[in-house]
Amino acid sequence: MSSASWTGPVPREEESRTRPDVPRRGHLDCPRHLPSRGRAGTVHSLTAANDATVLVTGGTGSFGSTMIRQLLTSDVREIRVFSRDELKQDDMRRHLSDPRVRFYIGDVRDYGSVDRATRGVDFVFHAAALKQVPSCEFFPLEAVKTNILGSSNVIEASNANGVRSLVCLGTDKAAYPVNAMGMSKAMMEKVAQAFARNNPTAVTTVSTVRYGNVMASRGSVIPLFVEQLKAGKPLTLTDPDMTRFLMSLDEAVQLVDHAFEHAQPGDLFIRKAPASTVEVLARAVGKAMGVEPKLEVIGTRHGEKLYETLATREELARSEDQGDYFRVSVDARDLNYGQFFDEGDEQESTMDDYHSHNTERLDVDQVVDVLMALPAFRTLIGV
Ligand SMILES: O=c1ccn([C@@H]2O[C@H](COP(=O)(O)OP(=O)(O)O[C@H]3O[C@H](CO)[C@H](O)[C@H](O)[C@H]3O)[C@@H](O)[C@H]2O)c(=O)[nH]1
């Protein structure tokens, strides 16, 4: 069953009849059903890959720690946690207390440290990144060093050390990027795809995934709204009509697992997801906490878009619909464009992008249901 009602490229004519370009406040085209929410704790491919050694870069972050917890339910031989922060590693070591987990201090910017961590590894999940839009905006070269050059180090070291499969984690902000974080993640995708195209005999299958906002993740708007409500303050809305895809951490892990299981070299995987406006999200957080929130509009921040795109129409034109997921194959054309001149892709002109304004739209009650199913949110609000 698909996780969102949007199941494929929408012919432009049809879509323009059904979708308001900018949704009106208070007007929501509510679907009758909620998407199927993924079950936690099912890392199928790794359960099948008995006795494997797995490296997770950025392993102490939200994604990394969720992935590792799930991996530990499998017959994995060893999990290597690679990150810069010794304090977070120490916390994790104490918390997990599992001899299968080994800790590597290093930085993806430093090839030597990545090389040492990838020796003898079967599978790599590359989550280390600079992810904050504002910090990348002010220090774009740091995003280049970590997100682009660092990812290239992970790809090259994985291949040099015989890693079988590497999944690089990306973001919807990489599609039509407008900020430095999204641009650097778009370049990471290009580096991964170019590696696959230029190295057909490579040992390592390199793939990428793109997902949207992870609900209740650290530093994101949901914890902020909870904090504001607890302090009796109004909720600050950038633009009430701004939309974002909504995804849980478990769903992000399932996307990565799906990529791991199905990847051909250079593939990009996207998980379909519903979305809501920021106003609906704010009202839902209030409702979940039993408060009627006051709303204050503060205006759009640096580098923000009104809506996010998960897949461009050019990508959809070469994608395979896999139910809950899209698989976008690498564009295998070489630099000899002449031979493709007569074969323009007519399909592209009849499609639209897949974005957070035209995906399944959740209303307040549906968002409340989604939030209350999230352990992270329940912890935040103390229920
Ligand atoms: O006070 C606020 C803060 C945010 N928002 C809105 O809430 C939505 C979600 O905001 P988040 O800050 O949670 O998420 P972003 O889409 O802005 O991006 C977030 O996720 C990214 C990864 O995809 C990066 O990590 C980034 O730094 C981080 O802010 C956006 O429409 C934003 O405009 C508000 O309405 N009020």
Side-chain angles (χ1 to χ4, degrees):
M1 184 174 150
S2 169
S3 72
S5 62
W6 199 94
T7 54
V10 182
R12 287 194 139 184
E13 224 179 71
E14 181 187 325
E15 194 250 356
S16 63
R17 277 187 271 123
T18 55
R19 169 175 72 90
D21 274 327
V22 179
R24 279 165 282 138
R25 223 193 292 187
H27 168 88
L28 293 174
D29 190 13
C30 305
R32 294 288 92 201
H33 65 283
L34 274 172
S36 66
R37 311 306 301 183
R39 271 189 307 130
T42 48
V43 186
H44 311 286
S45 46
L46 288 170
T47 307
N50 283 345
D51 215 23
T53 295
V54 180
L55 170 70
V56 184
T57 74
T60 56
S62 313
F63 171 86
S65 42
T66 305
M67 184 85 200
I68 288 163
R69 268 204 313 280
Q70 297 199 11
L71 283 171
L72 285 172
T73 64
S74 76
D75 289 331
V76 68
R77 177 167 18 118
E78 182 181 326
I79 301 172
R80 296 185 188 172
V81 176
F82 179 94
S83 71
R84 292 172 306 164
D85 191 326
E86 54 185 351
L87 187 61
K88 283 190 194 149
Q89 287 197 1
D90 196 44
D91 285 348
M92 196 174 200
R93 189 193 332 264
R94 288 163 199 270
H95 192 68
L96 293 177
S97 180
D98 188 313
R100 290 176 295 170
V101 186
R102 308 271 305 273
F103 292 86
Y104 285 70
I105 294 285
D107 190 330
V108 292
R109 297 178 182 192
D110 170 23
Y111 183 83
S113 68
V114 183
D115 178 47
R116 283 187 289 281
T118 43
R119 287 181 199 153
V121 167
D122 299 294
F123 308 120
V124 177
F125 298 104
H126 173 42
L130 290 182
K131 301 190 183 89
Q132 291 296 316
V133 169
S135 54
C136 293
E137 215 54 12
F138 285 94
F139 302 99
L141 274 174
E142 302 304 316
V144 169
K145 288 182 209 164
T146 296
N147 295 352
I148 307 175
L149 301 176
S151 297
S152 175
N153 284 340
V154 174
I155 293 169
E156 296 294 341
S158 295
N159 193 49
N161 287 309
V163 168
R164 283 146 60 191
S165 182
L166 158 65
V167 185
C168 302
L169 277 66
T171 164
D172 52 4
K173 291 176 171 54
Y176 304 130
V178 297
N179 54 53
M181 195 278 279
M183 289 170 189
S184 63
K185 283 295 200 173
M187 282 299 290
M188 177 197 76
E189 292 179 358
K190 297 289 181 199
V191 169
Q193 288 154 8
F195 175 86
R197 197 165 39 234
N198 298 339
N199 298 281
T201 59
V203 184
T204 309
T205 298
V206 180
S207 61
T208 56
V209 300
R210 215 185 256 167
Y211 55 82
N213 290 45
V214 173
M215 286 179 288
S217 59
R218 268 180 300 188
S220 69
V221 73
I222 293 176
L224 176 73
F225 284 164
V226 171
E227 210 178 285
Q228 288 173 334
L229 285 176
K230 281 183 179 168
K233 293 181 180 164
L235 300 185
T236 52
L237 302 189
T238 51
D239 176 339
D241 292 333
M242 198 179 280
T243 56
R244 289 293 180 267
F245 286 104
L246 300 174
M247 195 180 281
S248 70
L249 210 42
D250 282 327
E251 287 164 337
V253 171
Q254 285 163 8
L255 166 63
V256 172
D257 185 47
H258 181 85
F260 174 81
E261 205 173 2
H262 297 278
Q264 295 294 318
D267 279 350
L268 162 67
F269 291 88
I270 290 159
R271 186 178 173 126
K272 297 173 193 171
S276 83
T277 64
V278 165
E279 178 178 349
V280 163
L281 183 63
R283 293 196 185 283
V285 173
K287 193 162 183 181
M289 294 175 69
V291 183
E292 181 61 48
K294 289 195 198 70
L295 306 179
E296 183 190 334
V297 176
I298 56 171
T300 304
R301 303 172 298 180
H302 279 94
E304 279 193 311
K305 286 177 178 171
L306 182 61
Y307 58 89
E308 299 287 0
T309 302
L310 264 176
T312 68
R313 62 192 181 122
E314 292 80 7
E315 289 162 343
L316 289 171
R318 52 175 213 281
S319 75
E320 177 194 340
D321 191 331
Q322 299 184 311
D324 283 358
Y325 304 93
F326 289 117
R327 168 210 212 123
V328 182
S329 311
V330 72
D331 186 340
R333 289 175 296 174
D334 60 21
L335 276 175
N336 186 7
Y337 290 116
Q339 59 185 301
F340 303 104
F341 190 73
D342 296 331
E343 301 172 15
D345 197 336
E346 286 173 20
Q347 216 191 343
E348 274 177 28
S349 54
T350 63
M351 299 179 166
D352 202 349
D353 307 318
Y354 174 47
H355 52 66
S356 58
H357 263 19
N358 68 4
T359 188
E360 178 178 8
R361 184 73 64 83
L362 302 187
D363 66 15
V364 173
D365 288 333
Q366 290 171 317
V367 177
V368 170
D369 286 346
V370 169
L371 289 174
M372 293 306 284
L374 292 177
F377 181 73
R378 298 179 76 93
T379 306
L380 279 176
I381 64 170
V383 297

